[in-house]
Amino acid sequence: MLESKKLLKDFATELSVPVYYTDGVKYPFKSGGVIKPVIADLGKVYLELFDKVEEKIEPNEWNKVFDNAQQLCRCVHHTINGMKALKLPNEEIAKYMLKIAKAILVLQNGHYFPHYEQYIVLDNIEIQKDVAFHTNELLFLSAAFWAYSETLYFVHRQLACQYHGGYDLGDGTFAIIRDFCNLKPKDLWSELDFTGMPDTIQIVTVHDNSLKIDFDSYNNLYIRDGNMLQTLKYGYVIVDGKAISQEETSKLFQLIQDKLNEFNKIIESYSDNKVKHKYIDIFWYRTKPMADFLGIDWKPSEKIHKKADDYFNKEQPLAPKKEQTFEEFASQYDYSNYI
Amino acid sequence: MILKGLTANSGIYMGKAKIITKVEDLDKLEQGDILVVKTSSPAYANGLFKAGALVSENEGTLFHLAILAREVGLPCVTGIENATTIIKDGDMIKVIGMEEGEVHVGE
């Protein structure tokens, strides 16, 4: 019981770091404002799917459902808000929080929440030095795919990417691995042309130890000391399971820049209302890994869109910003006393 | 004039300012220009690959372009109020991402 209490307390603290310190202005809107009218509906769907999946898998099989831990982790604070909106008892919320926290640890191969310097999810890594090269485009490509993930999924970029590392290579260097997936979501963006885009891409960069990095629980990368570019020793790119050359990397970098331009111009041409409805779809898309596993449709119903539309069409007064210390903020996600 | 902000990625860089307020304007950005933006569209990522530094009105180290600036090693100062109106296109500016973030405009 003590272990569960500690897990829930640590989970609340780690989750609160990125949410508390987040920037005030978000692309394209603050997600909380968009999901507010249907947060209880989303919470209900999420928990129902979670329960059904849980019945069909062993506790250590969450990797049959999710591509990465972030796909589950970055949903948590909205799921908690959904549970609150559903007025679930605190004990029930604590029960789900514990289940989700344990599932995240399974997806991280038992490694604990990211905490200072590392976000380790693999026990062993093998660096493919024979296909490595040195070019700044390795980092540019990473940033471009990160931006591409955010173009497709807005704040929920975890649907397409997870960064992990730094994995110590024992020779004064360490590796950062960026895994990208779900790069052609035609069922979400039927209007976008994904021709030429890969399904998955992995970008590995190796840096000397003078670079000091941190990850938070939402996979945000911070630099404590040094510079990514100046410390880059070498790296490589794996596209759909196959290593590509430096020349092919340059071509891929050009392609991704073109897609960024093309897609963002289309999205910028949309009305605010249309983007908000797309955002609702993206929120529901987060249930897709579980829905796919169960063989059911992930899409939100027309009723959900109508409910959201009624809310968007009314002028909403801005909620006053609550001044809270980090400890006060984190306490709202801490259900360790209810387990 | 010294404008105070928050360092989102450290480094010092001096160059010509380019104010970007819509995606189409990215074509006007030249290699080594300092990208000055108001908001956080991922569309502006393409500008980071040409820019020498990033200045934004948005504040925060988790401002999305700031995350990308860290990835590509660009000095980045955020939270410069009215940066896109105080700084003019073509101004020579100095971005100082140290313990405190500063942007020096003019001589």
Side-chain angles (χ1 to χ4, degrees):
Chain A
M1 191 61 78
L2 189 64
E3 195 185 313
S4 295
K5 275 183 184 294
K6 182 181 179 326
L7 180 59
L8 277 186
K9 201 164 190 54
D10 290 349
F11 190 33
T13 305
E14 294 303 329
L15 282 177
S16 299
V17 171
V19 184
Y20 181 77
Y21 291 105
T22 195
D23 49 324
V25 182
K26 285 289 188 191
Y27 170 81
F29 306 103
K30 284 197 90 168
S31 60
V34 176
I35 197 62
K36 192 175 175 185
V38 289
I39 187 84
D41 303 85
L42 179 65
K44 192 165 179 286
V45 170
Y46 207 87
L47 298 180
E48 280 174 4
L49 288 172
F50 193 90
D51 286 342
K52 282 182 190 164
V53 169
E54 200 186 24
E55 279 173 19
K56 288 185 182 293
I57 60 169
E58 295 297 319
N60 62 351
E61 289 183 332
W62 282 98
N63 57 1
K64 286 185 174 175
V65 184
F66 293 99
D67 296 304
N68 61 55
Q70 287 301 312
Q71 287 181 350
L72 189 54
C73 190
R74 285 181 62 111
C75 293
V76 172
H77 86 270
H78 287 120
T79 308
I80 296 170
N81 290 342
M83 289 192 277
K84 284 180 179 172
L86 288 165
K87 301 196 184 328
L88 293 190
N90 288 333
E91 290 74 14
E92 189 77 354
I93 297 177
K95 190 187 83 184
Y96 275 112
M97 287 277 283
L98 188 60
K99 284 182 185 183
I100 292 171
K102 286 182 175 173
I104 290 169
L105 296 188
V106 167
L107 288 162
Q108 291 174 182
N109 292 310
H111 294 283
Y112 213 57
F113 304 114
H115 196 62
Y116 302 121
E117 295 189 48
Q118 293 176 317
Y119 178 42
I120 299 298
V121 298
L122 299 175
D123 293 330
N124 295 297
I125 62 157
E126 199 176 313
I127 292 295
Q128 300 183 32
K129 248 184 164 173
D130 54 325
V131 293
F133 46 86
H134 183 281
T135 166
N136 292 347
E137 279 187 351
L138 287 162
L139 295 172
F140 291 177
L141 190 71
S142 305
F145 268 98
W146 194 101
Y148 179 83
S149 306
E150 189 162 290
T151 299
L152 295 181
Y153 300 112
F154 302 167
V155 80
H156 305 306
R157 65 177 183 276
Q158 77 280 0
L159 286 161
C161 77
Q162 175 171 270
Y163 282 28
H164 48 111
Y167 295 99
D168 184 11
L169 302 181
D171 59 355
T173 65
F174 68 90
I176 302 173
I177 301 178
R178 304 150 184 87
D179 286 315
F180 295 92
C181 58
N182 297 322
L183 300 171
K184 298 188 286 193
K186 288 176 193 152
D187 49 352
L188 180 65
W189 292 98
S190 59
E191 63 272 55
L192 302 183
D193 175 10
F194 296 107
T195 306
M197 288 300 294
D199 287 311
T200 64
I201 173 167
Q202 184 179 69
I203 303 170
V204 179
T205 58
V206 173
H207 301 262
D208 72 55
N209 281 343
S210 64
L211 179 70
K212 306 289 180 201
I213 61 167
D214 280 336
F215 284 103
D216 66 26
S217 63
Y218 274 18
N219 214 214
N220 295 306
L221 173 66
Y222 305 82
I223 310 287
R224 268 191 295 124
D225 199 12
N227 180 296
M228 294 283 279
L229 214 55
Q230 289 158 10
T231 57
L232 178 66
K233 305 295 280 183
Y234 60 89
Y236 57 90
V237 182
I238 308 283
V239 173
D240 292 333
K242 189 171 170 282
I244 62 169
S245 65
Q246 186 168 347
E247 194 187 350
E248 288 167 320
T249 298
S250 291
K251 282 184 190 161
L252 183 61
F253 180 47
Q254 190 53 57
L255 172 73
I256 189 75
Q257 286 184 90
D258 293 344
K259 291 292 178 195
L260 272 176
N261 248 329
E262 180 189 328
F263 292 178
N264 278 289
K265 275 179 188 164
I266 292 171
I267 297 165
E268 277 195 3
S269 73
Y270 289 177
S271 68
D272 282 0
N273 193 273
K274 189 168 177 178
V275 175
K276 285 177 182 172
H277 280 283
K278 186 64 87 174
Y279 217 152
I280 297 285
D281 285 342
I282 291 170
F283 265 100
W284 254 258
Y285 199 84
R286 301 193 308 173
T287 66
K288 187 177 186 295
M290 293 191 288
D292 280 356
F293 181 79
L294 296 165
I296 56 177
D297 189 19
W298 62 270
K299 291 186 183 75
S301 66
E302 280 304 310
K303 207 173 128 194
I304 295 294
H305 277 292
K306 170 79 176 65
K307 194 172 174 183
D309 208 44
D310 290 344
Y311 177 83
F312 298 153
N313 288 331
K314 279 184 227 150
E315 201 167 321
Q316 302 299 329
L318 286 173
K321 193 172 180 262
K322 240 191 251 177
E323 292 297 334
Q324 288 175 307
T325 63
F326 176 78
E327 287 71 23
E328 286 166 345
F329 183 83
S331 69
Q332 69 184 311
Y333 296 116
D334 181 4
Y335 285 85
S336 59
N337 288 331
Y338 298 101
I339 205 82
Chain B
M1 184 176 15
I2 297 174
L3 309 171
K4 302 261 187 195
L6 181 75
T7 297
N9 197 37
S10 59
I12 298 173
Y13 184 83
M14 191 168 178
K16 200 171 66 172
K18 186 75 210 167
I19 317 294
I20 300 290
T21 53
K22 44 185 196 294
V23 182
E24 290 80 37
D25 292 346
L26 279 174
D27 295 340
K28 297 174 193 160
L29 189 79
E30 289 174 18
Q31 194 71 38
D33 281 352
I34 295 173
L35 181 60
V36 182
V37 297
K38 191 172 200 160
T39 187
S40 180
S41 164
Y44 297 154
N46 279 344
L48 297 180
F49 310 132
K50 272 190 191 171
L54 172 69
V55 173
S56 80
E57 291 188 10
N58 263 174
E59 186 179 25
T61 52
L62 289 179
F63 163 57
H64 291 162
L65 284 180
I67 294 174
L68 297 184
R70 288 200 282 276
E71 179 99 50
V72 298
L74 283 189
C76 174
V77 174
T78 68
I80 302 285
E81 216 173 314
N82 300 318
T84 57
T85 48
I86 295 170
I87 302 169
K88 306 292 178 205
D89 248 356
D91 278 354
M92 283 303 289
I93 64 173
K94 191 174 187 181
V95 178
I96 302 178
M98 302 286 278
E99 208 155 301
E100 290 186 355
E102 289 182 358
V103 177
H104 294 206
V105 185
E107 291 305 308

